Amino acid sequence: MPELPEVETLCRQLRSKIVSSRIAGISILDSRLQLPEHVKGQQVISVTRRGKWIVIGLDDGRRLEIHLRMTGRLLWQEKEAALPMHCRLVFDLYSHQVVIVDPRRFATLSLAGGGEGHDGAVDALASRCAETLIAKGCKRRRPLKSFLMDQGIIRGIGNIYACEILYRAGLSPRRETAGLSPDDWRNVEKAIGAVLTKAIDCRGTSISDWRDLFGNKGEYQKELLVYGREGQKCHRCGELVHRERLLGRGTWFCPGCQM
DNA sequence: CGAACGACCTGTTCGC
DNA sequence: TGCGAACAGGTCGTTC
C-alpha cells in the first residue's frame, strides 16, 4: 500500500504528535512481530523517512524502523478507544496510542543502532537524481518500470506511482533503460518530482484502504491518469489505456503515447 | 551477475 | 447465489 507519498504523509503527521513523547508501553498482538527489550520508557526524538521506511529516533541513539509493506497502516487514537480490526501492535504514549493495523501481516519493524546503513540508493525525492539514474541505468537491459521500482537503486517508488511517472514521462514501462536518451532521463526525473510532490500534497492515494494517521482518505486517486484505467481513453492521445503483467505486477500504460 | 519467480498473508473481486 | 481462482499498495530468498 504505502509508497513514498503515503509514508511521507504518515511521518509528517507522526512527527507533529509523538516527538518528545515517551513510549509508556508496547503491546504486541501478532506473534510475527517482535521487538527487543528496553524500548519502553524511551523518548522519541525524531521521525524521519528513508524510502518507504518510517524511522523513529529514540533517546538512546537507537532507531525504531517500521515498514508497512502492502496493507500496513498507522492509526493515532485515544488510549481508551476500541482497537480496530487487524490491529497488530500498539505503542502507548501519554494519553494517546499509535496502532499498527495490517490485514496481511507483511509489515515489519526492527530496532537499529549505530550509524545509518548506506547502500548507495538515492531517495526518489532527492534533487537532481537523474545523474544517478543514468549512471546506474545506462548499461542495464531491464524494463524501465522494474528499474524505477528497485529500492536498491532509487527508494520510494511502488507500483501505482511507477505507472503514473512513466505515463507523465511518455515512456513505455517495457523500455530498456540502456536505450534511454539524456532527454528521456530528464523527463523521468521531472515526472518523479511532479507525481510524488503532488501525491504528498494530496496525502496519498486511497484506491481502497489507504488512510492517513488520523483515518482520513488521501486525494491523489482523483489525479491518477493511467493506473486502473484499463480500456478507458488516454487523456493525452485518445488511445485506449492498456493493461498487462510486468514482473508479476499489474501495469497500466497508453500504447499510443508511451514509447 | 542480473533478472524473473514464488513465497510470505489475508481479504476482496471476478468469472463460471 | 456459490465457489474457487485471481488479484492487491512490497520485499526477500531462491533459481535460472
Side-chain angles (χ1 to χ4, degrees):
Chain A
M1 171 202 302
E3 305 181 31
L4 184 149
E6 288 77 20
V7 175
E8 178 65 24
T9 298
L10 286 175
C11 283
R12 290 178 183 187
Q13 296 176 329
L14 264 185
R15 198 174 297 137
S16 74
K17 291 295 182 189
I18 72 171
V19 168
S20 72
S21 295
R22 211 163 273 286
I23 298 175
I26 297 181
S27 312
I28 298 175
L29 307 174
D30 179 352
S31 57
R32 298 187 87 223
L33 296 175
Q34 288 183 352
L35 205 56
E37 304 297 310
H38 310 312
V39 170
K40 184 174 170 180
Q42 288 291 309
Q43 191 173 21
V44 173
I45 57 170
S46 64
V47 179
T48 53
R49 180 184 61 74
R50 181 158 36 84
K52 300 174 192 171
W53 290 86
I54 296 163
V55 182
I56 299 174
L58 302 176
D59 224 359
D60 62 3
R62 293 177 303 168
R63 304 182 306 272
L64 193 53
E65 305 187 325
I66 302 174
H67 198 303
L68 298 170
R69 310 281 171 143
M70 298 278 265
T71 51
R73 289 172 46 195
L74 294 183
L75 187 64
W76 171 258
Q77 62 176 26
E78 291 185 1
K79 265 187 180 172
E80 298 76 21
L83 290 176
M85 186 108 111
H86 309 308
C87 174
R88 306 301 180 197
L89 188 141
V90 181
F91 294 100
D92 279 316
L93 304 175
Y94 179 64
S95 60
H96 286 71
Q97 53 192 191
V98 176
V99 182
I100 298 180
V101 180
D102 184 16
R104 284 174 79 177
R105 305 168 69 205
F106 286 159
T108 54
L109 79 169
S110 56
L111 206 50
E116 292 280 313
H118 223 64
D119 65 0
V122 285
D123 192 89
L125 275 188
S127 59
R128 304 186 44 72
C129 62
E131 310 310 318
T132 315
L133 297 186
I134 292 173
K136 298 209 173 172
C138 63
K139 296 183 200 86
R140 314 249 193 142
R141 298 177 56 81
R142 178 182 185 182
L144 179 54
K145 186 186 180 215
S146 90
F147 180 83
L148 290 179
M149 290 175 67
D150 186 334
Q151 305 300 303
I153 293 169
I154 177 168
R155 285 196 281 246
I157 300 170
N159 202 36
I160 293 179
Y161 297 113
C163 292
E164 294 298 309
I165 286 163
L166 289 166
Y167 177 81
R168 289 265 193 150
L171 293 166
S172 165
R174 287 182 300 218
R175 273 286 288 275
E176 287 180 4
T177 54
L180 295 181
S181 69
D183 269 354
D184 290 332
W185 283 113
R186 270 186 282 280
N187 287 334
V188 169
E189 181 191 47
K190 261 191 267 178
I192 290 172
V195 168
L196 297 183
T197 303
K198 176 70 177 170
I200 291 170
D201 288 345
C202 291
R203 295 182 350 277
T205 303
S206 291
I207 288 270
S208 57
D209 52 12
W210 156 251
R211 297 293 184 277
D212 69 13
L213 188 64
F214 310 117
N216 300 311
K217 289 188 178 187
E219 304 288 338
Y220 197 76
Q221 63 278 11
K222 299 170 187 167
E223 312 288 326
L224 295 176
L225 298 176
V226 275
Y227 185 89
R229 296 193 66 245
E230 181 181 11
Q232 299 178 48
K233 277 191 178 177
C234 167
H235 296 303
R236 190 162 48 200
C237 74
E239 192 75 36
L240 298 186
V241 172
H242 184 70
R243 180 205 159 149
E244 69 176 39
R245 266 187 115 63
L246 186 63
L247 311 211
R249 313 298 299 274
T251 301
W252 288 262
F253 65 98
C254 173
C257 59
Q258 286 181 254
M259 303 314 214

